[in-house]
Amino acid sequence: MVDVAGAGAGAGKAGGEPDLIPPPPPTIPPNVKPEVLISPKYSIMSRRGTGTTGRRIQLLANHFKVTVKAPDAVFYQYSVHITSEDKRAVEGKGIGRKLVDRLYQTYSSELAGKKFAYDGEKALYTVGPLPQNKLEFTVVLEETFAKSENGSPSEVAEKRSRRSLQSKTFTVELSYAAKIPLKSIALALKGADVDNTQDALRVLDIILRQQAANMGCLLVRQSFFHDDSRNFTDVGAGVIGVRGFHSSFRPTQGGLSLNMDVSTTMIMTPGPVIDFLIANQGVREPRNIDWVKAKRMLKNMRIKTRHRNMEFKIIGISEKPCNLQYFPMKLKPGDGASEGETADITVFEYFTKHCGIELTYSAYLPCLDVGKPKRPNYLPLELCALVSLQRYTKALSSQQRASLVEKSRQKPQDRIRTVTDAVCKYQYDSDPVLTTCGISIEKQLTQFEGRVLDTPKLKVGNSEDCTPFKGRWNFNNKTLLNPTRIDRWIVVNFSARCDTSHISRELINSGRKKGILIERPYTLLEEEPQSRRQSPVIRVEKMFEQIQTKLPSPPDFILCVLPERKNSDIYGPWKKKSLSDFGIVTQCISPSKINDQYLTNVLLKINSKLGGINSLLALEHSSRVPLIKDTPTMILGMDVSHGSPGRSDIPSVAAVVGSRSWPLISRYRAAVRTQSPKVEMIDALYKPLANGKDDGIIRELLVDFYKTSGGRKPTQIIVFRDGVSESQFNQVLNIELDQIVKAYQHLGEANIPKFTVIVAQKNHHTKLFQTNSPDNVPPGTVVDTKIVHPRNYDFYMCAQAGMIGTSRPAHYHVLLDEIGFSPDDLQNLIHSLSYVYQRSTTAISIVAPICYAHLAAAQVGQFMKFEDLSDTSSGKGSVTSSESIPVQELPRLHEKVQGSMFFC
């Protein structure tokens, strides 16, 4: 697995990393009254004990023990306010650190020699107080310093060279804000529920960040990246993956520890801007560059100039090419020109004639504007090179992502070596602020004991037992448990180069072996050649017109052959049309080679979508699942999928799946809604309308449970929630759970079910290793001691078999358990839920309901991909306030497919 710091679409998931100060205010969905936050009904539960089942195994984790020799030390927090000579507040990110460094060099004696920890923005920390609660300092920075940070060069090169000797004066004001005792960490380690533990840990993390900043690293949340080309790997299109490190302090049962992990982020390839643009846009030569795209990509990037070795920030691109872009050049007095007189001259002429610089290819290309909005300063492209370590924050293409994953993965032993080398090399505990607290960090990984749970047995066709081996099984010489029958179906081909009649024959033959009876297709439809150049939406419309013309009534199933394997433009409009307008189950394929393995995987998906069951847990088959077998129990999986980073105009998509046909725990129905962009709390769980009805997600799933479970209402509900960080746990309990309860009560129920609420995180940085083996930990490994939280009920589980790279365990946090599971029963249930995923014949890394919610959100989110968003937003991704955007509603699924596992 690869840890990507702030990467692509999955960046919205904060995996328990401490937030930077100050923590964000909780986002309350619009239809929820905020008073539930004031008097919380639920609080996060404490651990009830540990599990005992399974065989013992010796493990290591990438946690390094931290010793605190001065536990009574107190951090004092000061607010930092910086103003420039004209009394304007300075917000520049990089300039803050330079000013505070200079402040320390100039005034350390007046600050009692105290060392600082500064977060680079508005907070500064010292061990013990400064001489006064409010201090004001005048700090002088050389102009070149200030200029490289705030991007304000002068109009022309001559003026620049004159001014670069000047300096700028700033006022830095420090005012006392709070006291943060280090003792709060010691109390938390003993299991006390202390308020400001998170604050103290955050200060320690800020100290690490400051250390990395002083070494010239790129900082991305809790990760840092050195400017060292040995850690660079090219992932294509002008983007480089940089290997760095994540580091954060964590309270654990074994004491305070430093969690250190390998992390990866993306940067723009440093070097000539023109080379970057050619690579990024995949063009052969500069004249093919799309300059509108280029302007978007380069805005706010920093460049260095070849002719003067100065740094600037790009604010735009000139409208005209270099040899036609004029600007007013000041004339020197004495050559017949009066003081302040100007003459219009082209940028090209200025640089070639007045600066004596030869330009070989810039004449016909636009210039980069590195000035201010009303005072442009143009530079020819060939004089500009991108500075290193500038983050690339756009979404990666599937090829780039695949390349990044492949080049970044490390075997367990390599990862151990990289991480321990870094802890030894960077000597964190030599930091003066940490030394003042008497903090020292051990240099070897934490060792402890874990357990490997027994593999759950499965039932397949003819009631045969199937015992997975190392987290895997197959259907060789086996049939599906409950195969479906496909009578009326068709194949449609969107101009893919393949033989659809051969595909249909092979599918029928493979289906027969698995127990699925598939009749010959009613017809094979090829896309009309003239449709190929149309938009995806039109192409899908035309295909459905063909279907309606050629067939007397709608088919039960459509096999759809697409020309591209990934990110096909047709996928979203096709799924929307078939699932929403017509209510037809479809399976999209783009086969590169057709063999039995490929067809079996396709059939597993088709069978699940059409209502069949591929396999069940043996316990589930005989209705013997502990605590679920006797009491109607519903399992919910909840997830929110966000748009690409930087796109605040695309609604987030919330999906909840609910189990059906109790006592089964393998069948699910999904309900999906849009909500405000980047909002993590689901706001449509309970949605009362003006007419008194509830149009929320939970009502839809509760009614379905009742209909498919013999008229039984759930008296127990297990909630699995994905993608929330530790700072949002209380909101899950007191906003989302409250909405679920209200939806249940709205159905006229007085008795509220018992709830168990579990958050699952994959986006964290704890890795497990075997002590005596170079292999990944075996599937079924569980850890609930030593490296877990000292008070809260959490555990790590690695259900999957890690074949390549280093396995990442799932981190489960039990927030509430009214049902009363024993640790063993709960861990075995969660382990079992990794074996009920109908799409594959392997144990998956996180419980199936969460995977299904993720799939449903992703698939229905594709419905919007080709909608015109321009009526509802700017479409430029510049909108930051989620309140100002009317959220585009998703079309509901057709009633014929609402209860299906369409997302499989």
Side-chain angles (χ1 to χ4, degrees):
M1 291 296 296
V2 180
D3 292 305
V4 179
K13 310 278 189 206
E17 295 184 357
D19 301 316
L20 298 180
I21 284 181
T27 311
I28 302 172
N31 60 336
V32 176
K33 291 182 182 165
E35 47 258 35
V36 291
L37 281 178
I38 296 159
S39 54
K41 296 177 185 174
Y42 299 103
S43 55
I44 295 167
M45 70 177 290
S46 303
R47 188 181 303 281
R48 282 194 186 141
T50 54
T52 56
T53 59
R55 69 177 173 86
R56 311 275 153 182
I57 183 171
Q58 292 303 311
L59 299 172
L60 297 165
N62 55 341
H63 285 216
F64 296 85
K65 190 172 170 55
V66 178
T67 312
V68 184
K69 297 217 172 70
D72 293 329
V74 177
F75 291 117
Y76 279 67
Q77 180 182 339
Y78 294 86
S79 298
V80 180
H81 185 61
I82 302 171
T83 47
S84 54
E85 290 160 332
D86 53 6
K87 299 285 176 260
R88 280 195 307 199
V90 175
E91 299 290 342
K93 270 203 172 165
I95 198 166
R97 287 197 192 276
K98 286 198 170 76
L99 284 168
V100 169
D101 283 350
R102 182 55 56 90
L103 185 152
Y104 183 77
Q105 290 160 17
T106 317
Y107 299 102
S108 82
S109 55
E110 291 170 45
L111 297 165
K114 283 203 180 295
K115 293 281 196 279
F116 297 157
Y118 175 51
D119 72 352
E121 291 179 27
K122 300 223 164 119
L124 181 143
Y125 304 87
T126 59
V127 180
L130 292 175
Q132 276 107 30
N133 278 353
K134 194 159 193 170
L135 295 153
E136 198 172 281
F137 300 97
T138 302
V139 181
V140 178
L141 272 194
E142 282 73 30
E143 175 66 18
T144 46
F145 251 161
K147 207 180 278 177
S148 66
E149 288 305 329
N150 62 10
S152 59
S154 51
E155 267 169 48
V156 293
E158 280 176 89
K159 196 169 164 193
R160 253 197 332 259
S161 60
R162 262 202 326 271
R163 284 185 42 149
S164 60
L165 302 170
Q166 294 181 6
S167 49
K168 274 194 174 181
T169 307
F170 297 87
T171 303
V172 180
E173 194 181 279
L174 305 181
S175 44
Y176 169 76
K179 261 194 236 186
I180 302 166
L182 196 55
K183 187 174 267 169
S184 62
I185 295 176
L187 293 170
L189 293 171
K190 288 177 183 156
D193 188 11
V194 196
D195 282 348
N196 47 7
T197 311
Q198 224 36 55
D199 293 339
L201 291 169
R202 202 177 285 129
V203 178
L204 295 180
D205 286 335
I206 285 165
I207 296 168
L208 293 190
R209 283 172 61 79
Q210 174 173 280
Q211 233 181 330
N214 292 342
M215 290 190 276
C217 293
L218 165 66
L219 303 180
V220 182
R221 293 198 292 273
Q222 293 300 121
S223 298
F224 57 93
F225 304 89
H226 289 267
D227 189 4
D228 181 347
S229 56
R230 287 173 299 182
N231 298 329
F232 291 3
T233 175
D234 187 1
V235 296
V239 181
I240 281 178
V242 189
R243 179 182 290 171
F245 296 96
H246 162 94
S247 60
S248 60
F249 287 96
R250 298 192 69 80
T252 68
Q253 278 189 6
L256 186 62
S257 68
L258 175 68
N259 177 203
M260 185 86 177
D261 193 18
V262 178
S263 184
T264 306
T265 196
M266 277 68 64
I267 62 167
M268 299 164 97
T269 304
V273 172
I274 197 76
D275 293 355
F276 168 77
L277 290 175
I278 286 171
N280 183 247
Q281 297 193 9
V283 293
R284 286 225 170 114
E285 41 201 47
R287 63 195 172 93
N288 304 119
I289 289 170
D290 174 338
W291 292 103
V292 176
K293 237 184 192 172
K295 182 178 175 181
R296 267 205 311 265
M297 184 62 74
L298 293 175
K299 194 163 184 206
N300 295 328
M301 289 297 135
R302 296 192 327 278
I303 51 124
K304 227 178 191 149
T305 54
R306 196 178 76 204
H307 61 303
R308 289 198 183 270
N309 198 26
M310 287 179 72
E311 213 174 278
F312 299 103
K313 187 161 82 175
I314 300 170
I315 67 157
I317 287 179
S318 65
E319 286 177 19
K320 296 185 178 131
C322 188
N323 62 355
L324 295 175
Q325 182 67 53
Y326 285 85
F327 74 96
M329 181 180 80
K330 279 187 185 169
L331 297 173
K332 289 182 185 171
D335 299 341
S338 58
E339 182 71 35
E341 197 179 332
T342 62
D344 280 355
I345 183 173
T346 67
V347 177
F348 183 78
E349 193 184 343
Y350 170 75
F351 275 93
T352 51
K353 289 192 179 163
H354 290 264
C355 300
I357 295 168
E358 189 187 346
L359 297 178
T360 54
Y361 62 79
S362 295
Y364 303 102
L365 301 177
C367 306
L368 295 182
D369 181 1
V370 295
K372 285 189 167 174
K374 292 205 170 102
R375 208 176 70 194
N377 176 18
Y378 297 117
L379 294 171
L381 260 173
E382 68 189 84
L383 299 182
C384 304
L386 286 167
V387 173
S388 191
L389 291 187
Q390 298 194 80
R391 275 186 79 197
Y392 180 87
T393 53
K394 310 281 186 293
L396 293 180
S397 69
S398 47
Q399 292 93 329
Q400 286 174 313
R401 187 161 283 281
S403 171
L404 182 72
V405 169
E406 187 188 342
K407 291 173 180 174
S408 317
R409 66 166 67 107
Q410 285 182 297
K411 289 193 164 77
Q413 296 300 306
D414 294 338
R415 191 172 279 248
I416 289 176
R417 198 174 309 112
T418 309
V419 168
T420 42
D421 286 354
V423 171
C424 296
K425 180 180 174 185
Y426 297 123
Q427 296 287 336
Y428 293 112
D429 39 16
S430 64
D431 179 90
V433 187
L434 291 183
T435 312
T436 314
C437 309
I439 284 178
S440 59
I441 299 163
E442 283 190 11
K443 306 295 184 284
Q444 66 270 357
L445 283 77
T446 299
Q447 192 167 341
F448 52 94
E449 194 174 67
R451 292 171 291 116
V452 182
L453 302 180
D454 292 342
T455 305
K457 287 192 171 55
L458 302 174
K459 281 280 182 194
V460 294
N462 302 323
S463 286
E464 274 185 59
D465 284 332
C466 173
T467 307
F469 177 67
K470 291 189 176 175
R472 309 174 85 80
W473 65 100
N474 60 54
F475 280 99
N476 296 346
N477 307 318
K478 298 184 188 78
T479 58
L480 307 182
L481 178 72
N482 182 359
T484 182
R485 180 190 170 109
I486 307 173
D487 290 323
R488 281 179 53 76
W489 68 292
I490 61 170
V491 182
V492 302
N493 181 14
F494 280 99
S495 305
R497 291 195 183 124
C498 60
D499 180 352
T500 51
S501 70
H502 173 67
I503 291 172
S504 62
R505 281 197 305 275
E506 291 297 311
L507 194 71
I508 291 167
N509 293 337
S510 190
R512 193 183 305 117
K513 293 180 203 162
K514 303 291 169 276
I516 303 176
L517 185 63
I518 308 173
E519 295 295 341
R520 286 181 61 189
Y522 186 88
T523 185
L524 309 173
L525 295 179
E526 296 286 331
E527 183 177 34
E528 292 161 348
Q530 63 269 31
S531 300
R532 286 181 204 178
R533 287 185 190 80
Q534 304 271 18
S535 72
V537 175
I538 302 289
R539 289 174 73 179
V540 168
E541 293 279 356
K542 296 270 188 212
M543 187 62 86
F544 268 98
E545 282 169 19
Q546 263 205 74
I547 293 170
Q548 286 170 294
T549 310
K550 304 264 172 72
L551 273 79
S553 59
D556 302 326
F557 169 70
I558 304 174
L559 185 70
C560 171
V561 186
L562 297 175
E564 302 95 3
R565 286 205 61 190
K566 295 262 183 187
N567 301 337
S568 171
D569 287 349
I570 296 162
Y571 184 84
W574 170 259
K575 286 291 182 185
K576 180 183 174 189
K577 194 83 180 161
S578 53
L579 291 173
S580 188
D581 298 357
F582 285 87
I584 302 170
V585 169
T586 71
Q587 176 62 50
C588 293
I589 61 170
S590 180
S592 46
K593 57 174 189 225
I594 293 169
N595 55 26
D596 192 54
Q597 181 64 58
Y598 176 80
L599 292 168
T600 300
N601 289 341
V602 170
L603 286 163
L604 291 178
K605 288 157 67 91
I606 293 171
N607 194 49
S608 302
K609 289 176 181 182
L610 290 170
I613 297 174
N614 301 332
S615 60
L616 287 180
L617 297 165
L619 280 178
E620 179 184 18
H621 189 251
S622 53
S623 300
R624 288 182 293 122
V625 181
L627 270 80
I628 289 175
K629 61 183 191 296
D630 304 320
T631 315
T633 303
M634 183 180 192
I635 298 174
L636 298 177
M638 299 172 26
D639 187 29
V640 178
S641 162
H642 304 294
S644 309
R647 288 296 302 269
S648 50
D649 55 332
I650 295 179
S652 291
V653 180
V656 183
V657 300
S659 61
R660 57 204 311 251
S661 308
W662 173 81
L664 295 187
I665 57 174
S666 291
R667 301 288 302 157
Y668 292 84
R669 172 195 176 121
V672 186
R673 305 280 193 278
T674 44
Q675 58 187 40
S676 297
K678 307 290 185 254
V679 171
E680 187 53 60
M681 290 297 115
I682 301 176
D683 68 3
L685 297 170
Y686 172 60
K687 211 167 187 180
L689 303 175
N691 61 10
K693 290 186 175 171
D694 170 17
D695 187 38
I697 288 173
I698 296 300
R699 178 195 167 88
E700 186 181 318
L701 299 176
L702 285 170
V703 169
D704 180 71
F705 181 93
Y706 178 80
K707 285 179 181 169
T708 60
S709 304
R712 305 288 295 270
K713 297 166 186 170
T715 54
Q716 297 181 156
I717 297 180
I718 302 169
V719 180
F720 286 103
R721 178 67 161 95
D722 185 29
V724 291
S725 63
E726 283 154 50
S727 61
Q728 296 166 312
F729 287 178
N730 273 311
Q731 294 174 58
V732 171
L733 280 183
N734 292 297
I735 296 177
E736 291 185 338
L737 185 55
D738 187 60
Q739 286 193 65
I740 296 171
V741 169
K742 282 181 175 152
Y744 199 86
Q745 289 169 326
H746 190 274
L747 288 165
E749 289 301 311
N751 297 327
I752 296 168
K754 289 179 178 173
F755 285 96
T756 291
V757 179
I758 300 160
V759 168
Q761 290 176 337
K762 284 289 300 211
N763 216 5
H764 60 85
H765 286 276
T766 294
K767 299 289 187 301
L768 305 176
F769 307 95
Q770 292 195 61
T771 313
N772 307 315
S773 166
D775 297 332
N776 271 309
V777 295
T781 299
V782 67
V783 176
D784 58 2
T785 59
K786 191 86 182 223
I787 59 166
V788 293
H789 196 279
R791 175 180 177 276
N792 298 348
Y793 186 1
D794 67 326
F795 57 90
Y796 294 93
M797 183 179 291
C798 202
Q800 79 277 21
M803 308 307 280
I804 43 181
T806 303
S807 299
R808 187 195 309 224
H811 192 186
Y812 291 102
H813 302 259
V814 185
L815 306 188
L816 180 71
D817 182 25
E818 295 175 334
I819 297 172
F821 285 98
S822 71
D824 281 328
D825 281 345
L826 189 59
Q827 286 167 11
N828 280 303
L829 172 66
I830 286 173
H831 187 218
S832 297
L833 283 170
S834 299
Y835 281 80
V836 303
Y837 189 58
Q838 297 293 303
R839 280 169 43 123
S840 75
T841 53
T842 58
I844 51 173
S845 60
I846 208 150
V847 289
I850 280 179
C851 281
Y852 288 147
H854 192 71
L855 288 174
Q859 187 170 130
V860 178
Q862 289 278 335
F863 286 13
M864 297 185 295
K865 198 170 174 185
F866 296 92
E867 300 289 320
D868 183 14
L869 291 167
S870 55
D871 349 336
T872 55
S873 76
S874 68
K876 295 188 181 73
S878 56
V879 184
T880 48
S881 163
S882 54
E883 303 309 315
S884 60
I885 308 167
V887 175
Q888 181 193 0
E889 286 276 331
L890 282 170
R892 297 290 165 92
L893 297 183
H894 194 282
E895 59 183 357
K896 287 196 327 203
V897 292
Q898 274 178 344
S900 74
M901 287 175 68
F902 68 87
F903 43 80
C904 259

